[in-house]
Each structure stands twice: as C-alpha cells, then as structure tokens.
Amino acid sequence: MAAEEPTNDPSYWVRWHESYGDPDSALSQRLRVVQAAVRRSLDDAPAGPLRIVSMCAGQGRDVIDVVAEHPRRSDIEALLVELDPGLVAFARAHAAEAGLGAAVRVVEGDASRCRAYAEAVPAQVVLVCGVFGNISPADIAATVRALPGFCTPGASVIWTRHRLPPDATPVIRQLFAEAGFDEVSFTPLPDPFVQTIGHHRLRLDPPGPGDPGAFDPERTLFEFVGHGGGGLR
C-alpha cells in the first residue's frame, strides 16, 4: 500500500482493520474463508518444509492464526510483507503472542517489489489478499502472470477481490487459468457483501530461469493506486 505521512493518529489502513472487532463484518467473514483456504493448503502440502508468502499482509491474521494451531507449524516458515508500520507492529506482536517468532517473519516493506520475497520463494502457499481491489487491471494481469515464479509445483495461491461493477473476478479467474492454475474454490460472500475469495493451485511446472513468468527479483508487480471499492482492499 502507498506510504502515508508520519502522524500520531492511526493510518487509514489501521482504522480499516478495526472491522475485525465485529465477527459479523464483511472483513471477519472474508478472513474466515481465507483462513480455511490456508488451512486446506497446509493440510494438502507434501511432507517437508513449508513456505508461506503473504503480500500486503495487513495484521497477518490469515496466516498467524492458522499456523499457530496447525499440526505442521514446526515445518512452516512464513514471510509477511506489509508497508504500514502500525499494521507491521500488530502482526509482529500477534506472532510473538502465538509463539511463532521463529516461524513467521514480518517485514516492513513494499509488497510490490519482488526483491522482498527473494529469500522466501518458491513457496507452497502464496496469499494475494487485499491487493487486486487496489491496483489497475493491467497490474492485476501482470501480477497473476508472475505468480507461477513464486510457487513450488502444486502450490496454492489465495486471493481476494470485491465484485463491485465492473466485476473483475471473471477476468481474474481466467487469468489464473491461462497462467497454469486450476481453481480449487471461488467463494463469494453472501449479499449484501461483495467480497470474494479465490483459491487456485498451480497445475503446470513452475517456470525455469529465463522462462516467461520466472521469478525476477528486479520486477515491480504493481502500483498500489488507492482504496479500491471504497476501501474494500
């Protein structure tokens, strides 16, 4: 997300996350669906070390809460990248309270820069939640096409996007198919909420060095351009 001027007041995005306090809010309902997809991805992952990467990770609840209770938590190394310092502080404290200091690393940085992930990919689980509602259609396409380079064979990508007109979710689902992913699930929240959660699994082999879509640490994936959908993130 775009940086804000230093202030003693909570940032827009810190205030936005306050909706987690209401278990019936759209944000809380979306979180539960994302967490279920993360849990399923970890359950289905092959034996051995497990890497998780989360872009624009916010408070990190979607990863931290699942890893804290998962039977394979000792296998997991998670990287959460978030620019807002207030959200970073929350995520670090939340991970520490859950006893995950060694398993979850929270980095304060620009989630659009591939270099932030260079030591954490390829990963078995990649979260792109709160991103596609705040970047341009061209950047959505570029990000989806780059995701195979973040993945191990069979890796899961979990993403979110609102359905406000023009609904971009059909295009996003097609982009994932074209990039070599199979759809595991697509979950719209019930009306009146407009959020959706997608879960895709890499079908093709990850791209090798020099192939289109290969991980490039010098690439910038997107520009975070605003509070898309009225701040739906």
Side-chain angles (χ1 to χ4, degrees):
M1 65 185 63
E4 300 188 8
E5 291 298 320
T7 174
N8 292 327
D9 296 326
S11 72
Y12 170 89
W13 289 115
V14 169
R15 298 193 303 274
W16 183 87
H17 279 73
E18 291 173 356
S19 295
Y20 279 127
D22 176 4
D24 296 322
S25 70
L27 184 58
S28 292
Q29 294 188 49
R30 189 186 82 171
L31 174 64
R32 289 192 287 271
V33 178
V34 172
Q35 288 176 334
V38 174
R39 191 175 296 109
R40 177 178 180 181
S41 301
L42 296 177
D43 290 344
D44 293 344
L50 280 170
R51 285 178 164 179
I52 303 173
V53 163
S54 180
M55 301 180 184
C56 297
Q59 293 181 342
R61 296 172 187 252
D62 42 14
V63 173
I64 294 167
D65 293 351
V66 174
V67 173
E69 298 181 352
H70 200 273
R72 295 189 61 186
R73 61 181 281 171
S74 62
D75 293 334
I76 294 170
E77 292 183 0
L79 172 67
L80 282 56
V81 181
E82 170 58 50
L83 188 59
D84 188 290
L87 297 177
V88 169
F90 182 101
R92 287 174 175 167
H94 192 41
E97 290 168 2
L100 296 174
V104 175
R105 182 161 60 101
V106 183
V107 171
E108 183 178 334
D110 187 344
S112 73
R113 304 297 179 91
C114 286
R115 183 163 296 281
Y117 312 98
E119 297 180 2
V121 296
Q124 284 82 6
V125 184
V126 180
L127 282 81
V128 193
C129 298
V131 177
F132 292 156
N134 294 285
I135 64 178
S136 70
D139 282 352
I140 292 173
T143 299
V144 173
R145 290 170 185 148
L147 286 171
F150 283 69
C151 294
T152 61
S156 287
V157 175
I158 300 158
W159 56 276
T160 62
R161 164 74 192 209
H162 62 77
R163 303 188 306 280
L164 293 176
D167 182 1
T169 59
V171 173
I172 295 171
R173 296 166 79 183
Q174 182 61 33
L175 287 167
F176 272 99
E178 293 171 356
F181 290 87
D182 288 329
E183 187 169 277
V184 178
S185 63
F186 178 75
T187 308
L189 294 188
D191 293 337
F193 303 121
V194 295
Q195 291 82 356
T196 56
I197 302 90
H199 179 186
H200 283 75
R201 185 167 290 148
L202 186 63
R203 176 182 71 253
L204 304 178
D205 290 336
D211 291 340
F215 181 80
D216 178 1
E218 302 305 319
R219 177 181 292 164
T220 297
L221 295 172
F222 53 79
E223 179 183 0
F224 208 87
V225 294
H227 307 155
L232 291 173
R233 199 168 186 263

